[in-house]
Each structure stands twice: as C-alpha cells, then as structure tokens.
C-alpha cells in the first residue's frame, strides 16, 4: 500500500473506533436510564403494597408469604430477579462482543 492509502485506512479505523465508542456509550446510558426507571417503579410499587406495623408478621416469618398482601412482594421480587439476570446477561454479551471487535481490529492493524 502507498502512504496515502495507509493514511486513509488509519483514518477509517480511527473513525470506526470512534463510532463504536459512541454507540457503546449511548447503549450504556440507555441501560442506566432503564435501570433507574425500573428502580423507581419498584419503589412506587413497594409504597403501595407496604402495610404499616409489625402485625403483618405476628405469626412468624414463614406465614408472611401466606398473608393477603404479601403476594405482591413475591411477584416484585421474582420480577426484579428476572430483570436483573436479563440485564446482566445482556451486559456480558455486549462486553464480550466489544472485546471480540477490539481484538479483531488490533489484529488487522498489525
């Protein structure tokens, strides 16, 4: 390759890295915003479900799940767990994909 072509190739790779970085930043920001909305939603649900006082657990902790208002706690807990696992898996896949791209880019530069 001539000097001009090498310069162009370097510039293309630089811009490609820049665009990927911008995309990953946007994606990370979107995931953060979704997590904050989810956290706020769960907080609102807990306020509406919460019963005042200790009377709700008077018969023991095992009986709490069988009481009238406790079903919502179980549903919220399961939903939070499932969403947390989903977000974690998504983040791990995105990170591994980004690492693979970076490795391929570095390999092609050398």
């Amino acid at each position: 390759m001539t000097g001009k072509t090498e310069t162009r190739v370097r510039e293309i790779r630089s811009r490609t890295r820049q665009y990927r970085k911008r995309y990953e930043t946007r994606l990370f920001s979107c995931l953060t915003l979704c997590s904050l909305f989810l956290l706020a939603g769960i907080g609102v649900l807990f306020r509406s479900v919460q019963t005042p006082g200790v009377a709700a657990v008077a018969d023991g902790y095992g009986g709490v799940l069988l009481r009238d208002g406790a079903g919502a706690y179980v549903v919220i807990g399961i939903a939070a767990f499932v969403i947390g696992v989903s977000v974690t898996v998504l983040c791990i896949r995105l990170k591994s994909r980004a690492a693979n791209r970076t490795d391929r880019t570095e390999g092609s530069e050398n």
Side-chain angles (χ1 to χ4, degrees):
M1 284 192 283
T2 64
K4 205 176 213 183
T5 305
E6 289 177 11
T7 306
R8 288 179 183 163
V9 168
R10 269 189 255 123
E11 182 65 28
I12 290 171
R13 288 182 179 157
S14 172
R15 285 187 186 178
T16 303
R17 272 189 239 114
Q18 191 177 34
Y19 290 140
R20 284 183 186 153
K21 181 76 170 170
R22 188 181 303 165
Y23 171 76
E24 289 171 0
T25 303
R26 285 182 187 161
L27 187 62
F28 181 72
S29 299
C30 181
L31 287 173
T32 303
L33 187 64
C34 289
S35 297
L36 288 174
F37 279 130
L38 183 66
L39 182 64
I42 289 173
V44 169
L45 285 175
F46 271 136
R47 279 195 187 149
S48 66
V49 171
Q50 190 176 23
T51 57
V54 182
V57 290
D59 293 332
Y61 293 111
V64 173
L65 296 177
L66 301 176
R67 292 201 175 259
D68 294 337
Y73 284 110
V74 174
V75 170
I76 290 171
I78 291 171
F81 176 76
V82 168
I83 291 170
V85 168
S86 302
V87 169
T88 303
V89 168
L90 178 67
C91 291
I92 289 172
R93 285 186 180 176
L94 289 173
K95 185 177 179 181
S96 66
R97 186 182 301 167
N100 289 342
R101 273 194 238 138
T102 309
D103 292 342
R104 280 185 277 165
T105 304
E106 288 175 357
S108 64
E109 285 179 359
N110 294 332

